[in-house]
Amino acid sequence: MKGLFKSKPRTPPEIVRQTRELLILFTNPNSTLRESKREEKMAELSKNIRELKCVLYGNSESEPVAEACSQLTQEFFKEDTLRLVIICLPKLNLEARKDATQVVANLQRQQVQSKLIASDYLDANKDLMDVLLSGYDDTDVALHYGAMLRECIRHQCVARYVLESEQMKKFFDYIQLPNFDIASDAAATFKELLTRHKSTVADFLAKNYDWFFAEYNLKLLESPNYITRRQAVKLLGDMLLERTNSGVMMRYVSSKDNLRILMNLLRESSKNIQVEAFHVFKLFAANQNKPPEIVGIFITNRSKLLRFFGDFKLDKEDEQFEADKAQVIKEIASLEPRDSS
């Protein structure tokens, strides 16, 4: 007889609505749940979040169904479910946090009638990015919030908001946090912000050139931490070689202070840092409008530089690298002193 009374499986919108009700319960400061009842409701919430994940990702038995994903996404963004998930995340257990992070990540990519509705929601609720960003100050949620943040940055409106916010300056400190995992996560988010949306990044760098590169040079390129220096010089090369950043690149390679930093990085004992530094250094050498003080530095250090590049080799043969190096040697060897007047 029992089999006759099996409860009907819940639809994706029903799971979202029940999840929302439970989240409201846990984010309500006036909630008077008894401890035993609280644990029961928390277990129910964790189960719901896991079910949302199964709808979006599928499981070992079935692939995700497009219609179910679409229904779930519509219901999720109809009301403030995302806000509730983010605010409630610190109260969840570790497994539920992981599931919630995967749900939020997946929803950024879900299209409803060919539209990313997460983008519209976040455009109207940008303050949620401040909550995610401040997660780097809390070791318990830093990696979950960081993963959510990177997925939200897929939307140009979100990336622009974060780049232009006061919080952007904090990345220079987050990248140097003593906790390696959190510092690495912050560095991954920082890279995503500065490489994903080309036109937004070019606009940001042009407007914020002075403070941004002053911090970048001091805190990252001249950091005492090897990994920080290595990642920073690699990202610098990626940014300056991006065509949309050509104006910023010309400004960067016209500074003698920047050249001094790159020449110091070329002298590092790490081959990896030397190679990444070379990719930026070659831009200084290739600049056909070198300011007189840059020409002066090249001429003063010419014999040392030519000797260095003569011995500078990669472990594997690389035709492009050899061609670039030959061009740098040629540029430096042919320089004549310029009148700085």
Side-chain angles (χ1 to χ4, degrees):
M1 287 295 286
K2 232 176 174 180
L4 294 173
F5 298 105
K6 267 192 185 157
S7 57
K8 198 167 140 236
R10 293 180 297 168
T11 65
E14 282 170 345
I15 305 170
V16 175
R17 283 194 286 274
Q18 286 168 17
T19 304
R20 189 187 301 134
E21 285 164 16
L22 289 164
L23 288 165
I24 289 168
L25 190 66
F26 283 106
T27 50
N28 179 1
N30 303 316
S31 175
T32 53
L33 277 180
R34 286 198 320 277
E35 193 54 40
S36 59
K37 195 73 177 160
R38 176 176 282 273
E39 282 178 23
E40 183 190 314
K41 292 289 182 189
M42 186 54 86
E44 203 180 318
L45 176 59
S46 299
K47 179 171 172 277
N48 276 4
I49 294 171
R50 192 161 56 250
E51 283 192 44
L52 293 176
K53 186 179 94 168
C54 284
V55 173
L56 293 168
Y57 288 90
N59 55 31
S60 54
E61 289 149 36
S62 60
E63 290 289 308
V65 177
E67 180 56 30
C69 292
S70 178
Q71 289 174 5
L72 187 156
T73 306
Q74 270 181 293
E75 185 61 45
F76 198 93
F77 288 109
K78 204 181 280 179
E79 293 183 46
D80 264 350
T81 316
L82 180 62
R83 181 179 295 277
L84 292 166
V85 169
I86 289 171
I87 291 167
C88 201
L89 196 86
K91 296 179 178 161
L92 303 177
N93 65 39
L94 183 59
E95 281 311 306
R97 279 181 201 167
K98 286 182 189 171
D99 289 342
T101 302
Q102 286 183 280
V103 167
V104 170
N106 187 296
L107 286 167
Q108 305 315 310
R109 299 188 282 262
Q110 287 291 343
Q111 296 196 3
V112 176
Q113 293 167 344
S114 307
K115 258 193 100 183
L116 287 168
I117 61 173
S119 181
D120 292 341
Y121 176 85
L122 289 172
D123 199 18
N125 294 272
K126 295 192 191 88
D127 64 298
L128 283 177
M129 296 308 103
D130 299 331
V131 180
L132 295 181
L133 281 158
S134 63
Y136 284 122
D137 294 315
D138 180 347
T139 49
D140 287 341
V141 294
L143 300 181
H144 307 293
Y145 277 174
M148 287 182 185
L149 183 60
R150 277 191 300 284
E151 290 297 332
C152 293
I153 288 165
R154 289 172 165 274
H155 312 300
Q156 196 154 1
C157 59
V158 172
R160 187 180 297 113
Y161 174 79
V162 176
L163 285 167
E164 290 172 359
S165 74
E166 276 302 303
Q167 299 254 47
M168 186 65 192
K169 293 179 180 171
K170 290 188 179 177
F171 274 101
F172 293 102
D173 300 319
Y174 291 148
I175 288 168
Q176 299 180 88
L177 285 168
N179 181 312
F180 176 77
D181 290 337
I182 297 175
S184 300
D185 194 275
T189 305
F190 187 68
K191 180 183 178 185
E192 186 76 359
L193 278 164
L194 292 163
T195 53
R196 181 173 272 276
H197 302 286
K198 312 296 185 203
S199 60
T200 300
V201 172
D203 192 41
F204 164 76
L205 291 175
K207 282 184 192 160
N208 297 276
Y209 180 93
D210 291 330
W211 76 259
F212 179 84
F213 283 108
E215 290 281 280
Y216 200 99
N217 288 349
L218 179 66
K219 292 187 174 171
L220 305 185
L221 291 178
E222 297 186 300
S223 164
N225 184 297
Y226 160 74
I227 291 172
T228 303
R229 291 196 307 280
R230 181 179 166 181
Q231 287 178 334
V233 70
K234 167 86 171 73
L235 177 57
L236 178 66
D238 292 345
M239 286 192 290
L240 297 183
L241 287 161
E242 176 54 53
R243 208 164 53 243
T244 49
N245 296 334
S246 58
V248 168
M249 185 265 280
M250 289 306 294
R251 196 168 166 189
Y252 194 88
V253 302
S254 297
S255 157
K256 68 178 193 302
D257 292 334
N258 295 343
L259 177 58
R260 177 185 57 79
I261 291 168
L262 267 298
M263 285 169 72
N264 284 337
L265 289 166
L266 279 174
R267 293 167 56 198
E268 288 254 359
S269 56
S270 157
K271 193 60 169 270
N272 286 314
I273 288 182
Q274 284 184 326
V275 171
E276 296 301 345
F278 171 72
H279 290 310
V280 180
F281 178 87
K282 71 187 181 189
L283 301 174
F284 286 87
N287 180 8
Q288 295 308 299
N289 298 304
K290 297 179 189 69
E293 60 265 34
I294 298 271
V295 175
I297 292 171
F298 278 141
I299 290 174
T300 304
N301 295 276
R302 176 153 41 203
S303 57
K304 281 185 196 164
L305 285 166
L306 294 179
R307 201 176 321 125
F308 171 81
F309 287 120
D311 297 334
F312 191 35
K313 289 181 173 51
L314 295 185
D315 298 333
K316 285 185 188 158
E317 230 173 272
D318 184 324
E319 283 181 25
Q320 185 60 55
F321 172 78
E322 290 301 329
D324 288 349
K325 193 176 74 166
Q327 189 60 39
V328 166
I329 290 170
K330 185 179 161 194
E331 288 284 349
I332 294 172
S334 65
L335 281 173
E336 297 291 336
R338 272 193 206 164
D339 184 9
S340 59
S341 60

